[in-house]
Amino acid sequence: MFCPFRLSLSRERKQPTFFVVVLTDIDSDRHYCSCLTFYEAEINLQGTKKEEIEGEAEVSGLIQPAEVFAPKSLVLVSRLYYPEIFRACLGLIYTVYVDSLNVSLESLVANLCACLVPAAGGSQKLFSLGAGDRQLIQTPLHDSLPVTGTSVALLFQQLGIQNVLSLFCAVLTENKVLFHSASFQRLSDACRALESLMFPLKYSYPYIPILPAQLLEVLSSPTPFIIGVHSIFKTDIHELLDVIIADLDGGTIKIPECIHLSSLPEPLLHQTQSALSLILHPDLEVADHAFPPPRTALSHSKMLDKEVRAVFLRLFAQLFQGYRSCLQLIRIHAEPVIHFHKTAFLGQRGLVENDFLTKVLNGMAFAGFVSERGPPYRSCDLFDELVAFEVERIKVEENNPVKMIKHVRELAEQLFKNENPNPHMAFQKVPRPTEGSHLRVHILPFPKINEARVQELIQENLAKNQNAPPATRVEKKCVVPAGPPVVSIMDKVTTVFNSAQRLEVVRNCISFIFENKILETEKTLPAALRALKGKAARQCLTDELGLHVQQNRAILDHQQFDYIIRMMNCTLQDCSSLEEYNIAAALLPLTSAFYRKLAPGVSQFAYTCVQDHPIWTNQQFWETTFYNAVQEQVRSLYLSAKEDNHAPHLKQKVREKKRTLIVWD
């Protein structure tokens, strides 16, 4: 189905073509199918049947060229993505065939299948298929970073900044995206480029860069997807009502009216657009100067590709700043489970009403991000360093284009080095077919490969490589840096509510209540209630009440009880699903600790007066509180172990255990 896509005969001798198809198996593993398609004579005519000469029929012995050609494909299937290597290998097999070189096709195929690919980490390997070629496999430094070549720069060249940003937002918010082009390879490159812009997120829905004609009904799937189709199906795809369609050849995108496309939050959207403009159009900044400098040259395509990706890396670092502070490790399962507190993250970032980030956090891609990057001890990459150490620098550079471009180029250098770790590449040589070879009149059909001979040669090659060291790579794991805490994306500093003076008002009010100083309490209570609008003051209230439960009896008189209930209600009315639950969780045991006597044998507890708040009906609150309690119990169990043992070496082990647990938390 996937090659040659249009099983049709041709009256013309066409150029050989190459493109890469992506197939995803049931385990979500991708297989990259490189297809080299050429045309060969369908009927090998030995001569014409008859030729009319002066009214008489005579048989001609002249050999006439074939008039009908059929496509035939050489396909290489691999779990690895080395498109240029695959293009060279399939091209070499085709060259040996079309130029009738004195090399066995079976040996070429066997040498290709038996080639040992080096492990990731910047390794390189020279190899040859045995036809006078010399080829080099170069692995990236980090498997986690996408390898894009020039595909991202090409996508922006085809569609422009605004259109690509729209597609980027569409994919992150789980909309359907469809590319169409007259080039199969451009479809593959565009899909890969759009997916790579999502890094550190990974796309987890159907991903079919080239969709064959027999599977066009997949476009009616209810799930999100990234799909590419050939432009010959343009009339069919324009009938789709819920799909965003991008025309790579025309440079346009079509967003149906029924789709509300969420945009990046400000000021990030403006900053990203400005950065992309400076990189892709460097002359724009000096276009109005009376004495402009000499024309600013663009970076070469591979480096330009990495500079664009660096802009999106900076964007994700700002979007996910402080995400690790909202991770919760749950250890009551067979294996630790990592939970991300989405509502707390949105509340602290000040993006409660932003539907873009809400959709991103609720999506499948972010769930995979938490699962993969949540563990506190693992191998780290460029994004981990960026989100932990560079966010403050990014904020400082917002209004300084020179510094911003400098940082972008530093990141681009790292991305480029990841794909090209060795600056001095070994000399490579791959024979190409003779120019115009596909136009030859008489070419024998591609011969059938002797499968038994190929298997025999593969076994011989594997036996030779038996003593070769295994291609393994030891991952360097480390403690993931936590980075700065979560802050509002707009840098709104609520100093009014978090000031020490406001906290002191809350403390004084509580002291007056428990000291039965009614007059002072009445004076300070309104200010204390206003202060409880701030999170720090609410946290202060729970701490102070907890101290009084430990130091005094929990029973209160009627006046004290009323004051405490008013402060609790004021605190709980701002505890919702859009912020952390720790304040409500801290108040929960206090509502069962404070009570008053209504009559002999009749007591009223505080929880009877605060039970109508919506926080108590939130299922996520109870789950989070339960897991936090389990977490504290586990920590106290391990941290208090062997504390009474005075042996110095045991004390040292306990200290090490504490440090380990704190790091793990």
Side-chain angles (χ1 to χ4, degrees), residues 564-578:
I564 295 299
I565 290 300
R566 285 184 67 183
M567 298 187 79
M568 284 187 175
N569 279 321
C570 185
T571 299
L572 289 171
Q573 72 181 6
D574 290 316
C575 289
S576 65
S577 61
L578 298 176

Side-chain angles (χ1 to χ4, degrees), residues 315 467 534 619:
L315 169 63
N467 297 326
Q619 180 69 23

Side-chain angles (χ1 to χ4, degrees), residues 505-524:
V505 168
V506 174
R507 293 192 187 98
N508 290 338
C509 184
I510 294 174
S511 297
F512 293 149
I513 291 173
F514 283 97
E515 292 171 5
N516 267 326
K517 296 180 178 179
I518 305 302
L519 184 59
E520 288 82 353
T521 301
E522 290 289 347
K523 289 180 180 179
T524 57

Side-chain angles (χ1 to χ4, degrees), residues 41-272:
E42 175 66 11
I43 303 172
N44 188 16
L45 301 177
Q46 298 299 321
T48 56
K49 291 291 183 182
K50 291 183 180 180
E51 189 172 307
E52 294 289 337
I53 300 178
E54 295 180 359
E56 297 181 3
E58 293 186 3
V59 177
S60 171
L62 296 176
I63 299 176
Q64 299 296 325
E67 296 182 358
V68 180
F69 300 88
K72 182 171 285 186
S73 291
L74 304 177
V75 184
L76 174 59
V77 183
S78 174
R79 293 174 184 261
L80 306 174
Y81 185 72
Y82 294 104
E84 294 308 313
I85 293 290
F86 299 157
R87 184 198 300 265
C89 291
L90 292 179
L92 184 61
I93 294 174
Y94 173 76
T95 299
V96 169
Y97 147 70
V98 76
D99 284 345
S100 302
L101 301 182
N102 189 23
V103 180
S104 166
L105 291 178
E106 285 78 5
S107 65
L108 295 178
V109 175
N111 291 338
L112 175 59
C113 293
C115 179
L116 296 178
V117 179
S123 306
Q124 58 179 345
K125 177 184 176 65
L126 281 169
F127 72 98
S128 172
L129 298 189
D133 60 313
R134 178 185 172 89
Q135 302 188 56
L136 176 71
I137 295 180
Q138 174 68 67
T139 64
L141 288 174
H142 298 280
D143 282 338
S144 59
L145 296 176
V147 175
T148 55
T150 60
S151 60
V152 172
L154 179 61
L155 181 64
F156 276 87
Q157 179 185 337
Q158 291 169 319
L159 295 179
I161 294 174
Q162 191 58 51
N163 286 342
V164 175
L165 282 176
S166 296
L167 294 179
F168 172 75
C169 294
V171 171
L172 286 182
T173 53
E174 300 189 341
N175 285 286
K176 304 175 184 178
V177 174
L178 177 66
F179 292 99
H180 71 83
S181 171
S183 164
F184 290 124
Q185 190 57 44
R186 291 290 174 90
L187 291 174
S188 293
D189 289 342
C191 292
R192 186 169 185 85
L194 183 59
E195 186 189 33
S196 67
L197 291 179
M198 295 176 60
F199 178 81
L201 303 181
K202 293 183 179 178
Y203 197 69
S204 54
Y205 287 105
Y207 175 82
I208 313 173
I210 300 176
L211 186 71
Q214 298 94 322
L215 297 180
L216 284 179
E217 64 271 13
V218 172
L219 298 176
S220 301
S221 167
T223 62
F225 55 66
I226 297 177
I227 291 179
V229 298
H230 197 276
S231 292
I232 60 172
F233 305 116
K234 187 185 300 185
T235 55
D236 300 321
I237 62 178
H238 278 287
E239 298 175 359
L240 301 170
L241 299 178
D242 59 344
V243 180
I244 298 173
I245 301 174
D247 180 1
L248 293 176
D249 305 333
T252 61
I253 68 170
K254 176 186 175 185
I255 304 176
E257 294 181 359
C258 62
I259 294 180
H260 167 67
L261 192 58
S262 304
S263 298
L264 286 166
E266 292 290 359
L268 296 184
L269 177 59
H270 175 71
Q271 293 169 10
T272 304

Side-chain angles (χ1 to χ4, degrees), residues 4-47:
F5 296 93
R6 290 172 290 170
L7 189 57
S8 58
L9 302 178
S10 171
R11 290 189 174 275
E12 301 176 358
R13 301 181 182 91
K14 297 183 179 181
Q15 282 268 12
T17 61
F18 176 86
F19 48 85
V20 180
V21 181
V22 180
L23 304 179
T24 307
D25 61 24
I26 196 170
D27 297 321
S28 298
D29 293 326
R30 289 185 182 174
H31 303 261
Y32 300 97
C33 308
S34 303
C35 307
L36 188 147
T37 303
F38 57 93
Y39 283 76
E40 62 182 20
E42 175 66 11
I43 303 172
N44 188 16
L45 301 177
Q46 298 299 321

